[in-house]
Amino acid sequence: MSRYLEIQAALLGVGTVGGGVYKLLERRSEEMPYKIGGRLKVSRVLVKDLSKEREGIPCELLTDDFQGILEDPNIHIVIELMGGIEPARTYILQALRAGKNVVTANKDLMAEHGRELMEEAEAQGCDLLFEAAVGGGIPIIRPLKECLAGNEITEIMGIVNGTTNYILTKMTQEGMDFQDALKKAQELGFAEADPTADIEGLDAGRKMAILASIAFHSRVTFDDVDIKGITKITAKDIQYAKEFGYTLKLLGVARNTDPEMEVGVFPMMIPSSHPLANVNDAFNAVFVHGDAVDDAMFQGKGAGEYPTASAVVGDVIAVARNMQDNCCGRIGCSCYKDLPMKASGESRHRYFLRLIVEDRTGILAGVAGVLGNNNVSINQVIQKPAVDGVAELVVITDKVEKRHLKDAMVIFGQMSMIREVASVIRVYSQR
Ligand code: NAP
Ligand code: HSE
């Protein structure tokens, strides 16, 4: 069997992650012969703007000609770190069709076009690895596909967005309001200038679609994920969560309630004793339940130059090893089932409701009546002393179907005694 004395790779994109990958591969270069049985070299770096200064990247490697990379027979690995859907999708498909292995960190692309790309990789007998697409530096995709392959995974929950975890941590620990915490996250470079994808839960939704597909062996795309962001969370909600012994997190929750799956991203109150409640700042964590392993949690840095480069370089090394053993494409798409998604209205959760009501007799009975008539069972109620003729009524429900809660909310909206439904937040309950 012929082995490679040198394996060449091309980087597509050398921004935050690409720059980290280049430098990390340089740092490990002396050890590569021991790790992969040969040298590993980045021989081309594709960028959009050739005139930009790139510290630490030799300018002779830079190119804006993807075709040149595609046609270079010495390049066996393409590392896509440009982001976005196009041209990343087309470049990856072309690279696979040219027999090149691909590593990517692109969650947007994998969440929307994962099936097409994985099928092409399989057809070509190539590797397509994407460990960095979920949880940055945290190993989770390969552990799910390999180390936990003996399990039936029934639940996978995660804090998979660092920006929102940072914001909620500041609101919880320092009493900041949402806008101030967001501003701080932007100043520190966690949140993008346009933070919509983070704070509206879209970034977490993409990551949960990828995780659920792998965990449940059935394709879940971004459109299948029920998503709610954190923009409406107030300091008061956080205060109430504490009073009830909970911590508020933006959680991705995927459940396999055979024969259906449900996948969502929502702000959720979880018991403060739960391991995920203590994952703070910009850290990410993924909590997995399997029938054999029971509970397992993976935690670490979900973004940033080197944590993300760690996952990308791990994938590049895995590809290089497969090349040496002539077994590329060894672990491809693992979606061998076709489970339906549960209708969103049928998903069952406990809820925290905060109602601003008039301070007069019969209100509590009225609220309880509407909930009862709509199959929403009450677990706890607290009424706070009235101020200026309005009182705050806080209800925690038992597990209820979302559609029943929605029906009750419509009736609350028509009742003059209820001035406002100020918050509706899910409360964690065991699978
Ligand atoms: P970035 O800093 O914006 O860098 C993007 C790079 O891609 C730049 O070098 C840019 O070239 C190049 N590029 C963009 N479009 C191109 C095109 N059409 N042709 C050629 N080059 C192009 O992005 P990043 O933060 O490193 O993210 C890269 C990927 O990693 C994304 O998929 C992201 O979702 C994923 N990811 C990022 C993190 C993180 O912490 N940043 C964590 C996990 C996953 P110019 O320099 O010439 O503009
Ligand atoms: N914007 C993401 C986050 C980082 O805040 O977690 C990249 O996945």
Side-chain angles (χ1 to χ4, degrees), residues 46-251:
L46 184 81
V47 292
K48 202 154 53 172
D49 179 359
L50 276 174
S51 66
K52 233 195 241 178
E53 279 281 315
R54 323 242 171 205
E55 204 198 314
I57 315 290
C59 54
E60 65 274 14
L61 298 187
L62 299 177
T63 176
D64 58 2
D65 172 25
F66 176 69
Q67 205 57 31
I69 291 174
L70 202 57
E71 287 168 8
D72 186 338
N74 294 316
I75 292 176
H76 291 103
I77 308 177
V78 166
I79 309 169
E80 186 278 308
L81 300 169
M82 302 185 298
I85 303 294
E86 288 294 353
R89 174 183 155 272
T90 301
Y91 287 0
I92 290 178
L93 286 171
Q94 289 179 337
L96 292 168
R97 284 174 195 143
K100 300 184 195 299
N101 301 292
V102 175
V103 172
T104 179
N106 195 329
K107 63 230 161 189
D108 305 30
L109 185 60
M110 292 310 294
E112 267 186 50
H113 298 278
R115 182 192 296 273
E116 178 190 27
L117 297 171
M118 293 305 288
E119 281 177 0
E120 193 60 52
E122 195 168 334
Q124 303 300 336
C126 291
D127 279 329
L128 169 56
L129 302 188
F130 50 95
E131 185 63 65
V134 180
I138 306 174
I140 182 64
I141 290 174
R142 203 131 5 99
L144 281 172
K145 286 194 171 191
E146 298 194 49
C147 319
L148 296 171
N151 286 263
E152 184 188 13
I153 307 288
T154 46
E155 183 178 67
I156 184 154
M157 293 204 299
I159 295 174
V160 287
N161 182 268
T163 303
T164 45
N165 201 32
Y166 178 83
I167 292 171
L168 291 174
T169 302
K170 289 290 148 200
M171 291 175 76
T172 303
Q173 294 182 348
E174 297 177 26
M176 278 189 189
D177 71 18
F178 173 78
Q179 286 302 338
D180 289 344
L182 170 61
K183 198 160 156 255
K184 184 126 202 241
Q186 284 173 317
E187 279 162 16
L188 290 171
F190 295 142
E192 313 270 333
D194 176 1
T196 312
D198 292 320
I199 62 179
E200 295 293 357
L202 312 178
D203 175 74
R206 292 183 182 113
K207 292 168 180 168
M208 288 310 298
I210 296 171
L211 282 182
S213 301
I214 296 166
F216 306 150
H217 307 294
S218 191
R219 180 67 55 192
V220 177
T221 64
F222 177 60
D223 296 337
D224 296 322
V225 185
D226 192 5
I227 295 176
K228 190 170 175 188
I230 64 164
T231 51
K232 302 228 161 57
I233 297 297
T234 64
K236 228 173 195 175
D237 297 323
I238 300 223
Q239 191 49 44
Y240 274 118
K242 282 187 194 166
E243 269 184 46
F244 283 103
Y246 293 115
T247 302
L248 223 159
K249 294 288 183 190
L250 181 71
L251 276 193

Side-chain angles (χ1 to χ4, degrees), residues 146-393:
E146 298 194 49
C147 319
L148 296 171
N151 286 263
E152 184 188 13
I153 307 288
T154 46
E155 183 178 67
I156 184 154
M157 293 204 299
I159 295 174
V160 287
N161 182 268
T163 303
T164 45
N165 201 32
Y166 178 83
I167 292 171
L168 291 174
T169 302
K170 289 290 148 200
M171 291 175 76
T172 303
Q173 294 182 348
E174 297 177 26
M176 278 189 189
D177 71 18
F178 173 78
Q179 286 302 338
D180 289 344
L182 170 61
K183 198 160 156 255
K184 184 126 202 241
Q186 284 173 317
E187 279 162 16
L188 290 171
F190 295 142
E192 313 270 333
D194 176 1
T196 312
D198 292 320
I199 62 179
E200 295 293 357
L202 312 178
D203 175 74
R206 292 183 182 113
K207 292 168 180 168
M208 288 310 298
I210 296 171
L211 282 182
S213 301
I214 296 166
F216 306 150
H217 307 294
S218 191
R219 180 67 55 192
V220 177
T221 64
F222 177 60
D223 296 337
D224 296 322
V225 185
D226 192 5
I227 295 176
K228 190 170 175 188
I230 64 164
T231 51
K232 302 228 161 57
I233 297 297
T234 64
K236 228 173 195 175
D237 297 323
I238 300 223
Q239 191 49 44
Y240 274 118
K242 282 187 194 166
E243 269 184 46
F244 283 103
Y246 293 115
T247 302
L248 223 159
K249 294 288 183 190
L250 181 71
L251 276 193
V253 180
R255 284 185 175 145
N256 180 359
T257 51
D258 204 358
E260 293 169 317
M261 303 179 287
E262 51 183 316
V263 186
V265 170
F266 338 93
M268 193 179 258
M269 294 186 183
I270 51 171
S272 296
S273 56
H274 192 287
L276 284 170
N278 297 301
V279 175
N280 288 318
D281 299 315
F283 280 89
N284 282 200
V286 180
F287 191 87
V288 179
H289 182 83
D291 60 347
V293 73
D294 202 347
D295 289 337
M297 191 162 101
F298 303 75
Q299 181 178 357
K301 290 195 172 162
E305 182 180 15
Y306 282 110
T308 312
S310 164
V312 174
V313 169
D315 277 352
V316 173
I317 289 173
V319 171
R321 285 175 175 152
N322 287 346
M323 285 173 62
Q324 297 291 34
D325 291 337
N326 200 20
C327 61
C328 288
R330 189 173 61 92
I331 302 174
C333 182
S334 53
C335 294
Y336 52 80
K337 294 186 187 173
D338 194 11
L339 302 176
M341 298 301 300
K342 185 176 243 172
S344 158
E346 285 170 21
S347 75
R348 286 165 56 78
H349 284 279
R350 295 173 69 206
Y351 287 89
F352 162 94
L353 312 175
R354 187 161 65 86
L355 309 176
I356 311 300
V357 297
E358 285 178 6
D359 181 32
R360 60 177 167 84
T361 47
I363 301 280
L364 190 54
V367 167
V370 170
L371 292 175
N373 290 339
N374 286 283
N375 295 313
V376 178
S377 162
I378 296 174
N379 186 281
Q380 290 178 70
V381 185
I382 294 181
Q383 182 169 353
K384 293 280 170 176
V387 179
D388 296 333
V390 287
E392 202 164 51
L393 200 59

